[in-house]
Amino acid sequence: MSMTDNASNITGPGPAVQMEGVHKWFDQFHVLKDINLTVSNGERVVICGPSGSGKSTLIRCVNRLEAHQRGQIFVEGTEITNDVKHIDTIRREVGMVFQQFNLFPHMTVLENCTIALTKVRRMPKAEADKVAMEYLERVRIPEQAQKFPGQLSGGQQQRVAIARALCMRPRIMLFDEPTSALDPEMIKEVLDVMVDLAESGMTMMVVTHEMGFAREVADRMVFMDEGEIIEVAPPSVFFSNPASDRTKLFLSQILDH
Amino acid sequence: MTEAKTYTPGQHPNLPPPPNMVGSMAWLRDNLFSSWTNGALTFLSAALLIFIVPPVLDWAFLNATFSGESRDACAAATGACWAVITARFDQFVYGLYPSEATWRINIAFVGLLIAVTPWLAPRVPFKKAFVIFSLAYPLLALWLLAGGLGLEPVYTGRWGGFMLTLVIGVTGIVASLPLGIMLALGRQSDLPIVHTLSVTFIEVVRGVPLIMFLFMASNMLNLFLPQGVTFDLLMRALIAVTLFSAAYLAEVVRGGLQAIPKGQLEAAQAMGLNYWQAMAYIILPQALRTVIPGIVNSFIALFKDTSLVAIIGLFDLLNMAKAIVTDVTWQGLSIEVYVFSAFIYWIVCFGMSRYSIWLEGRLGGGIEGTR
Ligand SMILES: Nc1ncnc2c1ncn2[C@@H]1O[C@H](COP(=O)(O)OP(=O)(O)OP(=O)(O)O)[C@@H](O)[C@H]1O
Ligand SMILES: [Mg+2]
């Protein structure tokens, strides 16, 4: 059950994601402040920080669900600008998994997975079905293909959402708190799939509070607070010997339970 | 006192419900005589029915006259003189359309039924062929009704009756839904020009009575057109009705759009779907589904509002009825004529209403109902 296909896609030379002096405002509210972060190909970066610190906003800037106002963001060498062509190119390289799954309730699991293949990639339906089934098998729910999202458990829905994103064969996957909306007993099945994906060599940016997962897969930890990146460190250092007091405070709070 | 029989836990059998819960007596008690006021209302309603139903039946059927050449045929009977309907049936249906060409209307009508099938029925065989036919249908209908290309031309001034009502109603419905959807999307747009234009259009149109629109369409349009250019009166009415209905539909559709969580569009965009693809495949199918009752409600209103075109001199079903009422041969039969016309409007509107209820039940009760 490896996902080596994805790994073989990763051939780009430069960094996967490069953010240079990125600022963003919501009206008057300065939500991202001078973000500098480079994610190499195949690297797994876990982003954590208190609620409202700008974690979601940061990763949403990577596929232009949010627009930044200052600085530069490059994805696989393409700069994100207002140019729709660039945005399309980037979204083809980047898959995203949301906290609330955001599956399309009026479509079956299979249709959820094939819609972008057939409409964006213009792939014939039979071929798209095959690709979708392949990824549904990898997230271990091929038998649910004909059901509607509303008939699945939260954990199953989130695995469908992962399969749906993988169908487009992205080089980079963004996860925004993928397990926060799940009942405890379902968190593991989703994390297992993500660990698999990480082992396949996928470039990943993951916002999560699952510190066990972070320890296992992260190459680097990013700690954010109030719109700034406070600390970046490999997990071994980050958890045992954090540099900043804010990180320490946050870790003590989050590792309590 | 009922003897409370005890069972060992886990051994309790399924027992029939107590007798006072089931049967027709229970139904009567629960529904008609549950309290003193309810009982009194039941008797009052029964009395009213007894007073009203027999005379109506008498008038409409038992003592009615169904055929005849003039009002004299009905002189002997005390009931309704339906003879006027049978004698003038063609005018009710076809208006002043030349009688040797009414077969074209009949074909167009059958074509209409075929054309709407793929949109109304959830699953039909040969759906693709049906859809192609219904896309070509407007041109086919135009050719059949207006003539030309080998068919005797029939000037739209001679169109009338139920056929004209149907032309205006169907055209209005078919044209105003896409326009209303575009306006609703425009109203939500981030582009200031598109947004402002949509809001302005919607608010202006909603603030003006349809009749005024029709007046303007029939009189004022000439001011804006170059000298000598004429513009078919029916065409003007169609445009007025369509624009009017589109503004209302836009607001209904907007309600549906607002009911869709923001994450749906984000997920679609994250997968690379562009705006139009996201709307067409993800957002609108869900949004329209939630507002089917509102949309059908607008369609029903539109269908009844077609009767306002009488004001600008078109002979739709209602205006035709009015003309028939004033005919000396059939003088004094306004009740029969109007009851019959009302009945036709009612059938169509009731049909739409039932269809929407059926559709809602089908979609809501379906497995995809949960989110
Ligand atoms: N569309 C928006 N308009 C205005 N303010 C916003 C918007 N989205 C987010 N914010 C604000 O920006 C700040 C950062 O939000 P963001 O969602 O990035 O935080 P987060 O770190 O992901 O928090 P959480 O852990 O709660 O998800 C918050 O204060 C939030 O209220
Ligand atoms: Mg967040």
Side-chain angles (χ1 to χ4, degrees):
Chain A
M1 280 283 162
S2 81
M3 303 198 186
T4 40
D5 277 17
N6 295 310
S8 66
N9 278 346
I10 298 161
T11 52
V17 179
Q18 194 178 354
M19 304 178 94
E20 287 174 5
V22 171
H23 290 258
K24 174 169 179 64
W25 287 263
F26 284 121
D27 288 326
Q28 295 295 310
F29 180 54
H30 199 169
V31 57
L32 292 182
K33 303 167 185 161
D34 191 24
I35 300 293
N36 292 286
L37 180 66
T38 302
V39 181
S40 335
N41 268 311
E43 191 179 22
R44 269 85 53 178
V45 171
V46 169
I47 301 162
C48 60
S51 180
S53 56
K55 309 177 296 292
S56 300
T57 310
L58 185 145
I59 66 166
R60 288 158 60 87
C61 282
V62 174
N63 65 350
R64 193 60 168 202
L65 287 184
E66 302 286 356
H68 58 287
Q69 280 91 35
R70 246 166 69 188
Q72 288 177 300
I73 304 178
F74 298 89
V75 174
E76 300 283 349
T78 310
E79 181 173 3
I80 306 183
T81 60
N82 280 326
D83 190 337
V84 182
K85 273 217 185 73
H86 287 187
I87 297 174
D88 281 348
T89 315
I90 280 151
R91 286 185 178 156
R92 228 166 288 152
E93 306 290 346
V94 180
M96 185 160 193
V97 174
F98 301 84
Q99 181 175 355
Q100 299 298 337
F101 326 139
N102 294 346
L103 294 178
F104 307 134
H106 61 302
M107 295 179 172
T108 63
V109 164
L110 190 65
E111 288 164 347
N112 264 277
C113 293
T114 55
I115 178 83
L117 287 175
T118 53
K119 302 305 172 192
V120 180
R121 291 272 151 89
R122 310 217 161 276
M123 192 182 273
K125 191 179 170 310
E127 197 182 328
D129 283 354
K130 241 183 78 197
V131 173
M133 285 313 295
E134 185 186 321
Y135 284 102
L136 286 174
E137 262 158 43
R138 288 190 181 186
V139 301
R140 309 183 190 110
I141 37 175
E143 72 282 358
Q144 311 287 356
Q146 298 306 330
K147 290 200 184 159
F148 287 90
Q151 298 170 289
L152 304 185
S153 74
Q156 291 173 322
Q157 291 192 46
Q158 192 61 297
R159 284 186 282 149
V160 171
I162 294 173
R164 177 176 77 173
L166 290 177
C167 280
M168 294 298 279
R169 304 227 158 103
R171 293 178 174 199
I172 301 161
M173 283 286 287
L174 309 175
F175 291 84
D176 189 359
E177 306 206 29
T179 56
S180 301
L182 295 177
D183 293 336
E185 72 271 19
M186 297 171 184
I187 292 179
K188 187 173 177 304
E189 63 188 59
V190 172
L191 290 181
D192 283 350
V193 168
M194 290 171 63
V195 169
D196 269 8
L197 189 61
E199 281 166 2
S200 79
M202 173 69 78
T203 310
M204 293 163 74
M205 293 178 78
V206 185
V207 176
T208 185
H209 292 157
E210 292 295 329
M211 290 305 149
F213 170 82
R215 274 205 180 91
E216 186 178 346
V217 307
D219 295 313
R220 276 189 300 159
M221 298 293 299
V222 173
F223 175 68
M224 287 186 74
D225 195 10
E226 295 183 2
E228 285 182 277
I229 293 184
I230 305 293
E231 184 164 354
V232 182
S236 51
V237 179
F238 185 83
F239 288 109
S240 56
N241 193 13
S244 113
D245 289 341
R246 281 202 256 181
T247 316
K248 280 178 199 152
L249 179 65
F250 174 76
L251 284 176
S252 72
Q253 283 164 350
I254 200 157
L255 295 175
D256 266 355
H257 43 255
Chain B
M1 282 284 99
T2 51
E3 82 275 29
K5 196 162 186 278
T6 53
Y7 300 91
T8 22
Q11 299 299 309
H12 208 302
N14 297 325
L15 302 175
N20 61 358
M21 255 182 72
V22 290
S24 49
M25 285 313 282
W27 185 89
L28 283 177
R29 196 196 53 226
D30 288 350
N31 291 286
L32 300 181
F33 300 100
S34 60
S35 66
W36 279 112
T37 38
N38 190 359
L41 280 175
T42 301
F43 278 117
L44 205 66
S45 316
L48 266 177
L49 283 178
I50 290 167
F51 273 112
I52 290 172
V53 173
V56 167
L57 280 181
D58 246 18
W59 178 81
F61 300 105
L62 302 178
N63 288 323
T65 314
F66 290 92
S67 62
E69 288 306 306
S70 77
R71 123 137 269 186
D72 301 341
C74 306
T78 56
C81 184
W82 297 126
V84 61
I85 308 296
T86 33
R88 293 305 189 85
F89 190 76
D90 277 8
Q91 279 178 22
F92 274 110
V93 178
Y94 306 115
L96 303 175
Y97 210 83
S99 54
E100 69 278 6
T102 51
W103 60 270
R104 282 154 51 179
I105 296 179
N106 296 342
I107 293 184
F109 183 71
V110 173
L112 175 68
L113 296 182
I114 299 172
V116 298
T117 312
W119 308 99
L120 300 188
R123 286 208 174 75
V124 284
F126 314 111
K127 185 145 190 161
K128 209 164 208 165
F130 267 113
V131 170
I132 291 172
F133 177 78
S134 59
L135 292 181
Y137 177 76
L139 282 178
L140 177 71
L142 182 67
W143 175 58
L144 281 169
L145 298 181
L149 298 175
L151 287 178
E152 190 67 29
V154 180
Y155 161 62
T156 55
R158 302 192 65 173
W159 300 17
F162 180 63
M163 166 258 187
L164 183 65
T165 294
L166 211 54
V167 165
I168 300 172
V170 171
T171 313
I173 285 172
V174 169
S176 68
L177 184 58
L179 189 60
I181 291 173
M182 295 310 291
L183 285 168
L185 293 178
R187 189 166 191 159
Q188 299 221 317
S189 170
D190 295 333
L191 307 172
I193 298 179
V194 176
H195 173 83
T196 312
L197 280 179
S198 307
V199 173
T200 312
F201 178 89
I202 293 169
E203 296 304 339
V204 166
V205 171
R206 288 206 309 163
V208 176
L210 175 57
I211 297 195
M212 186 168 278
F213 245 113
L214 290 166
F215 274 141
M216 295 199 300
S218 79
N219 301 319
M220 277 171 51
L221 215 56
N222 292 336
L223 301 179
F224 302 111
L225 290 172
Q227 201 78 43
V229 173
T230 59
F231 202 60
D232 189 87
L233 189 60
L234 172 59
M235 194 52 142
R236 297 174 190 203
L238 288 177
I239 292 173
V241 167
T242 301
L243 295 183
F244 189 79
S245 174
Y248 279 86
L249 278 172
E251 289 301 282
V252 174
V253 173
R254 182 165 73 111
L257 291 173
Q258 280 170 343
I260 307 303
K262 212 163 166 281
Q264 293 286 306
L265 179 59
E266 290 176 352
Q269 290 179 328
M271 292 164 70
L273 271 71
N274 64 33
Y275 175 81
W276 292 110
Q277 290 172 326
M279 289 302 138
Y281 303 117
I282 312 296
I283 306 299
L284 284 174
Q286 297 183 60
L288 294 181
R289 200 173 282 198
T290 61
V291 292
I292 289 172
I295 291 178
V296 174
N297 209 20
S298 293
F299 286 169
I300 290 176
L302 181 153
F303 191 78
K304 292 188 295 185
D305 282 351
T306 58
S307 57
L308 292 173
V309 301
I311 296 246
I312 60 170
L314 291 174
F315 279 85
D316 72 312
L317 178 59
L318 185 59
N319 210 13
M320 206 66 229
K322 207 167 135 229
I324 291 169
V325 165
T326 54
D327 178 351
V328 274
T329 344
W330 298 103
Q331 227 159 21
L333 294 178
S334 54
I335 295 184
E336 284 84 346
V337 170
Y338 288 134
V339 164
F340 174 73
S341 318
F343 183 67
I344 305 238
Y345 282 109
W346 181 80
I347 296 251
V348 175
C349 295
F350 184 69
M352 287 197 261
S353 155
R354 296 313 298 185
Y355 173 75
S356 116
I357 290 172
W358 173 81
L359 192 63
E360 261 179 87
R362 203 189 134 262
L363 297 176
I367 38 185
E368 62 257 63
T370 44
R371 168 164 290 146

